[in-house]
Amino acid sequence: MSVQSVDRALDILEALAERGGEAGLSEIAARTGLPYGTIHRLLQTLLARGYVRQESDRRYALGGSLVRTGGVAQRMVGGWAEPYLAKMVELSGETANMAVLEGDFVVYVAQVPSPRRLRMFAEVGRRVLPHSTAVGKVLLADRTDAAAVFGRTGLPRRTEHTITSVDRLLAELETVRDRGYALDLGEEELGVHCLAVPVSDGDRVVAGMSVSGPAERISALDRDELARGLRKIADDFGSEAFGSGRQGF
Amino acid sequence: MSVQSVDRALDILEALAERGGEAGLSEIAARTGLPYGTIHRLLQTLLARGYVRQESDRRYALGGSLVRTGGVAQRMVGGWAEPYLAKMVELSGETANMAVLEGDFVVYVAQVPSPRRLRMFAEVGRRVLPHSTAVGKVLLADRTDAAAVFGRTGLPRRTEHTITSVDRLLAELETVRDRGYALDLGEEELGVHCLAVPVSDGDRVVAGMSVSGPAERISALDRDELARGLRKIADDFGSEAFGSGRQGF
DNA sequence: AAGCATTTTTCCGCCTAGTGGAAAGGGTAT
DNA sequence: ATACCCTTTCCACTAGGCGGAAAAATGCTT
């Protein structure tokens, strides 16, 4: 049903991405379980097209050609997310956002603003640090290297409520995993509260969706009930947008 | 030398990207020249992996899986660009940036700041409109649909120098094509001048690199000589980062 | 509502394009 | 200088992929 060599080429690209965009041939072999000759041949093909690049030490890295298609795809995904974000706005009355983790940063990729007069507005494309945002917390809760991320970024204090202790933050991520949603109680911007839920591709958390608004309005909502509603929407979106991924086991 | 089916799968992905991320099977066939059966089979493979998605009207679109790899690749490219941007800083004494076009926006993907006390600082990841920036102009100069972009974005006045007439702007793009570099004379921010040059993958303009600084300092430089120097650096980077693309003709 | 044109999907025999084990070639650490 | 590890090349085998053409689905026109 599937074309073997294409499948394998994608495996290689993904293996490279998981290793942070760079790996040696044998590292790829270890991860994918493919024979060396095969990997080398497929890499040559990707190399010739600029999807992979070879460094001077003969290691392989993801190449520039992925940027173009990736950018186009990101806008598409943002577009598909809009109806779902609109549902979240309907449910909560507040502005809804979708964000992904890019490196150590949270990047907003789509937004549907609240119809209210007083509302949040975070431009699409904006980058923020994960430790002080609800989406950042859901995104990191799924990763085992959260502590390393905090090590690199530090935990700059944004407001008096920002959590600046690594231990407290890791404990909070634990809570996020357990209850399935994350909060930001004025940690990024004073007077602004957010509630975020994960978007999964069936295997891993690939994005986060959140609603944000003035502290008083958000506090007035029933958190658990809201979270339940948002999770449902995020799950629907996840299976629609990323759903066909990871089949064939 | 190259694996045929992988090459073809990449052709399909690129055809989709060129069509704005969405196309019917026969559109892809027209563009790639591949037989229907073959395209369909390859699309099924990409579909199963989430690299492509099928809409309700049976058309195909780029899928979410590209976002992950694309994001990782973008950071890699930004990293490779740094030594080149550093050379530009050395040459001009001013902050150097690299940016790409994402949809109708210019997105900064890498930066090396000037060592001077008074310097430009535009955060990586920032989005701006193309009409009022030098990088925006080089990026659009290569596209035939620049007028359409301006139609969608409008030409908001950022300063008293911003060009707000479509005709004047299109004429300026013509000039940019001819002389090989673009200027921004306080059109985005008062008192800030920029000079940008294109980065090509050998076929099309895929990014722009620019230097920006206080109007007085930039004016004091010999534009044509500076442009020549920057072009050389940008060309070197282009062939290094995207160079192995488009072989095999 | 029926028929026509267009586009997408399925099928299957042919055979080429891809596979992968193993050996040769490079780098670099000891 | 040598040994080890990682990468690249080679080649005989055959499974995996190819693509023409028919079937099915969709949607447009009359």
Side-chain angles (χ1 to χ4, degrees):
Chain A
M1 193 94 283
S2 266
V3 178
Q4 191 187 55
S5 34
V6 173
D7 249 326
R8 290 171 163 189
L10 297 178
D11 284 340
I12 291 175
L13 251 18
E14 286 175 9
L16 237 18
E18 276 165 37
R19 288 276 163 127
E22 207 183 313
L25 190 146
S26 46
E27 255 171 299
I28 300 172
R31 186 166 277 266
T32 58
L34 297 172
Y36 285 34
T38 302
I39 297 173
H40 185 260
R41 186 165 13 81
L42 291 168
L43 279 171
Q44 289 309 313
T45 307
L46 295 170
L47 213 47
R49 292 297 223 95
Y51 280 74
V52 149
R53 177 187 190 241
Q54 192 161 27
E55 321 251 87
S56 52
D57 58 355
R58 307 203 287 169
R59 286 161 64 79
Y60 294 90
L62 293 179
S65 300
L66 283 166
V67 177
R68 233 182 333 218
T69 41
V72 176
Q74 190 162 96
R75 273 180 301 127
M76 301 248 79
V77 172
W80 305 330
E82 270 168 31
Y84 294 88
L85 293 174
K87 277 191 207 165
M88 291 188 172
V89 172
E90 202 178 322
L91 196 69
S92 64
E94 304 295 345
T95 299
N97 284 287
M98 181 167 79
V100 297
L101 207 57
E102 221 169 73
D104 294 339
F105 287 88
V106 171
V107 182
Y108 289 95
V109 296
Q111 180 183 210
V112 172
S114 153
R116 305 209 185 173
R117 294 287 290 283
L118 173 63
R119 61 167 189 250
M120 291 308 304
F121 181 70
E123 50 192 330
V124 167
R126 179 146 176 257
R127 296 193 176 203
V128 294
L129 288 177
H131 75 287
S132 52
T133 55
V135 251
K137 290 176 194 168
V138 274
L139 290 168
L140 287 186
D142 182 58
R143 313 193 73 199
T144 52
D145 61 342
V149 173
F150 297 142
R152 287 192 293 271
T153 63
L155 304 176
R157 173 174 294 287
R158 303 275 302 150
T159 74
E160 55 191 275
H161 300 121
T162 308
I163 302 175
T164 54
S165 136
V166 172
D167 288 345
R168 271 196 60 206
L169 212 37
L170 292 176
E172 171 129 2
L173 294 187
E174 185 70 46
T175 314
V176 170
R177 268 191 294 277
D178 288 348
R179 74 180 169 202
Y181 66 90
L183 292 169
D184 157 15
L185 305 171
E187 296 155 40
E188 166 71 18
E189 200 175 333
L190 222 49
V192 175
H193 287 197
C194 311
L195 194 157
V197 293
V199 176
S200 163
D201 68 352
D203 179 30
R204 300 193 48 190
V205 172
V206 292
M209 287 178 154
S210 70
V211 294
S212 341
E216 306 76 42
R217 292 209 307 244
I218 300 274
S219 316
L221 301 168
D222 178 333
R223 275 181 203 164
D224 287 310
E225 196 188 310
L226 176 60
R228 231 186 330 274
L230 297 185
R231 286 201 60 139
K232 174 78 173 64
I233 299 171
D235 286 347
D236 289 350
F237 172 68
S239 44
E240 199 220 319
F242 306 97
S244 18
R246 298 276 148 220
Q247 283 180 348
F249 289 100
Chain B
M1 192 93 285
S2 264
V3 177
Q4 192 188 54
S5 35
V6 172
D7 249 326
R8 290 171 163 189
L10 297 179
D11 284 338
I12 291 174
L13 251 17
E14 286 175 10
L16 237 19
E18 275 165 38
R19 287 276 164 128
E22 207 182 314
L25 189 146
S26 45
E27 254 172 302
I28 301 173
R31 187 167 277 264
T32 58
L34 297 173
Y36 285 35
T38 302
I39 296 174
H40 187 260
R41 183 161 19 80
L42 291 169
L43 279 171
Q44 289 309 315
T45 306
L46 295 170
L47 213 48
R49 291 298 221 96
Y51 280 74
V52 150
R53 176 187 191 239
Q54 192 160 26
E55 321 249 89
S56 52
D57 59 354
R58 308 202 290 168
R59 286 163 64 77
Y60 293 91
L62 293 179
S65 299
L66 283 166
V67 177
R68 234 181 333 219
T69 41
V72 176
Q74 190 162 96
R75 273 179 301 126
M76 301 249 76
V77 172
W80 306 331
E82 271 170 27
Y84 293 88
L85 294 173
K87 278 191 207 168
M88 291 188 171
V89 172
E90 203 179 321
L91 197 68
S92 65
E94 304 295 345
T95 298
N97 284 286
M98 182 166 80
V100 298
L101 206 57
E102 221 170 73
D104 294 339
F105 287 88
V106 171
V107 182
Y108 290 94
V109 296
Q111 181 185 207
V112 172
S114 154
R116 305 208 184 176
R117 294 285 291 282
L118 173 63
R119 61 166 189 252
M120 293 308 303
F121 180 70
E123 51 193 326
V124 167
R126 179 149 174 254
R127 299 196 171 200
V128 294
L129 288 177
H131 74 287
S132 53
T133 55
V135 251
K137 290 176 194 168
V138 276
L139 290 168
L140 287 186
D142 183 57
R143 313 193 75 198
T144 53
D145 62 341
V149 173
F150 296 143
R152 288 191 293 270
T153 63
L155 303 176
R157 174 174 292 288
R158 303 275 302 150
T159 74
E160 54 191 276
H161 300 120
T162 307
I163 302 174
T164 54
S165 137
V166 172
D167 288 344
R168 271 197 61 205
L169 211 38
L170 292 176
E172 170 128 1
L173 294 186
E174 184 70 46
T175 313
V176 170
R177 269 191 293 279
D178 287 348
R179 73 178 172 204
Y181 66 90
L183 293 169
D184 156 16
L185 304 171
E187 296 155 41
E188 165 72 17
E189 200 174 332
L190 221 50
V192 175
H193 287 197
C194 310
L195 194 158
V197 293
V199 176
S200 162
D201 68 352
D203 179 30
R204 299 195 46 191
V205 171
V206 293
M209 288 179 153
S210 71
V211 295
S212 341
E216 307 76 42
R217 292 210 307 245
I218 300 273
S219 317
L221 301 168
D222 178 333
R223 275 182 202 163
D224 287 309
E225 196 189 309
L226 176 60
R228 231 185 332 273
L230 296 186
R231 288 202 58 141
K232 175 76 172 62
I233 299 172
D235 287 347
D236 288 350
F237 172 67
S239 44
E240 199 221 316
F242 305 98
S244 18
R246 299 277 150 220
Q247 284 181 348
F249 289 101

